Every structure is written in structure tokens, then in C-alpha cells.
Amino acid sequence: MSQSNQCNQAWLLASRPHGEPVKENFRLVEQPIPEVKDGQILLRTLYLSLDPYMRGRMDDSKSYAAPAELDQPMVGGTVSEVVESKHADFKQGDVVLAQSGWQSYAVSDGNGVAKLGDLPHPSWALGILGMPGFTAYMGLMDIGQPKQGETLVVAAATGPVGATVGQLGKLKGCHVVGVAGGEEKCRYAIEKLGFSACVDHHRDDFAEQLAAACPDGIDIYFENVGGKVFDAVFPLLNTAARVPVCGLVSGYSSRELPPGPDRTPQIMGGILKRRIRMQGFIIFQDYGDHYPEFLKAMTPLVEQQKIHYREHMIDGLENAPQAFFDMLKGKNFGKTVVKVS
């Protein structure tokens, strides 16, 4: 293999953020391409996924996964090509789903690496047919349990999770109301994704607009944002409402509680009196064995264009940090993916 004139470009986690992450938390380095030993494969990153969970991994705090290590490549899912193999299960040219992180090359022993079948676009394995799509499917179907005629509200409605949740809800006969940032995203949710309504959370009268879009209350709220969206949703939740919780992106960089009265008794009282089911989940920890079931259900829906999917493609690994910051602020439109090579 002739990689002598190339190097491994990598974004290392240089420091842990205090509040919102900044460029100085990352450091771009060029390293030699690692050597491949027996039982290993060398992976060249084609696409890098950028996801909100990465913000939590930057912190050195107890969570469902270990923190990202300082002075090591930032963690992240990738679609990669096997460029050299000394592993019996992989051959040169295989395209795989891996966890190579924010770097152009990585060595793996094959653990956690999965070969990708024929996809219209390999990067879709990081989105609609990967972790975000899987999150949407299991959270809605298992915890949300949508029924014909119910009202489903989903935040971040044009993101990879929210857009999928809403479209699955429509297929189940729900009245689907999206929440998104800006008129363009709301228009897309209605005209392209088929939502019944979409409310712009930037509006001063957001809570009133949401209530008007949900005249029969809310039976399912798919929570991935938190903050003021949850504040507007909670009073509208019906008796026996279900709230799958997969993320709280509005608060990932917060370091203190918001000002104001303690509303915990009010929220807990509402959960009790209205028998609300609110359940957090971590997709591969809670539902990992359901992934084949998800692929079997979702793949034909995507192929038949019953589920629409949009990517926010960024060109070049050097642009990964800014794309990450933009995603955390909702400036992306669709699933954020970095085209590395």
C-alpha cells in the first residue's frame, strides 16, 4: 500500500468546554498513517457524522458513555473504506460503518465495525438508516405507541430524528405538529414531510401558536430539545400522554439551572395526575438487538420514498468544528454529515 505521501488528519479534543464549545476546544493535527498489524484493518473515512450527543461526551462527567479523551481524536460515527486488511472478515474496498472519530484514517480490530450493503447513498447509514433513524423508530413505536387520530408533537422537526418521527406518525394516522426554527424549516415540514402543522419556536407567541395547532391536546411528545419547547408542550399533554426522551439539546452547554421558581412540584404533579409516561432511552443500549427489525421496516419506506430524508453535507474535515457548533445552534437543515474524502 502506498500511503507514504499522505498523513492522517485528525481533530483532537484539546480541552473541555465551559458552556458552549469553541474552536479552542479542538486541535487539528497531522499524524503518520498508523501501521496495520495482524487481525487489524486500516479504514479511510469517507463520511463523518456530527450529532448532538457529542457535546455531552466532551464533558468529564458521569453519563451513559465514557467521556471523550483529551488529546485523542474526537469521537464520532463514520462510513469508511477498508484500504488495507490483515483481518479475515474484511477485504480491501469494503465500505463499513465504524466509530473512527474525527480523523481521516483509523486502525480497527474489526470490533463494532459493520459492512454496509447496497445503499443509494453510503452516508445514509449515519442518518435515516443509522442511529438517528433507529432512535426515531424505536422511540416512537415502543415508547410513543402512536394510534390513529392521536396528536403527535415533535421538536427539531426537520432534523434527522424529528423528521423521521413525524413521517412515521403520519403513516400511523396521527395529527402531526412539528416545532422548528424559522419559516423555511416549517414550510419544509408541511410541504415536503407532510406534517399537519409546524410552529416556529422563534415566534414571540410560540406557546399560543402551538396550542392553536393542537386543539385536542397532545398525546405524544417526542422530546429531543427541552427548554422553552417543553415549557409550551407540558400544559397541553393529555391524560396518558407518552413522552419519549432522546435528547435535550437546548441544555447541553448549560452549567447552572435557569432563573425562576422551582417548577419541579408542578411538573411532577402533572405527571402524576395526568398519568403521563415520560421515558428516557439510549438507543443502542436499550434497543440494540432491534436493529435488524428497524432496517427491515425502514429500508423499504425509504426506497419507496414514503419517508423523505435530507442531509446537511459539509465538505472537508477541516470544517467539522464549525459545522458542529452550527448544528448545536440549529443552523443546520437536515442531518449534518462531513464529507471527509
Side-chain angles (χ1 to χ4, degrees), residues 41-123:
I41 50 177
L42 177 64
L43 300 174
R44 179 170 65 95
T45 305
L46 303 177
Y47 299 98
L48 166 68
S49 179
L50 295 182
D51 301 284
Y53 79 82
M54 294 173 174
R55 174 60 189 86
R57 298 287 296 277
M58 295 177 75
D59 291 335
D60 187 12
S61 56
K62 186 176 181 181
S63 186
Y64 61 88
E69 295 183 36
L70 291 174
D71 299 315
Q72 294 296 319
M74 182 60 189
V75 297
T78 61
V79 168
S80 304
E81 179 187 7
V82 177
V83 292
E84 184 179 354
S85 178
K86 294 184 179 178
H87 192 298
D89 295 339
F90 299 92
K91 66 180 188 298
Q92 186 177 351
D94 283 345
V95 177
V96 299
L97 186 63
Q99 292 290 325
S100 297
W102 295 27
Q103 57 183 340
S104 51
Y105 287 90
V107 162
S108 170
D109 61 5
N111 210 7
V113 176
K115 293 181 187 179
L116 294 178
D118 293 329
L119 294 178
H121 307 282
S123 59

Side-chain angles (χ1 to χ4, degrees), residues 123-143:
S123 59
W124 286 14
L126 301 172
I128 189 67
L129 297 177
M131 184 264 290
F134 190 26
T135 299
Y137 182 85
M138 295 309 307
L140 180 64
M141 296 304 186
D142 188 59
I143 302 172

Side-chain angles (χ1 to χ4, degrees), residues 178-183 186 198-206 209:
V179 175
E183 291 183 11
C186 284
C198 188
V199 186
D200 181 0
H201 65 72
H202 293 312
R203 292 180 61 117
D204 293 336
D205 61 347
F206 164 64
Q209 290 279 333

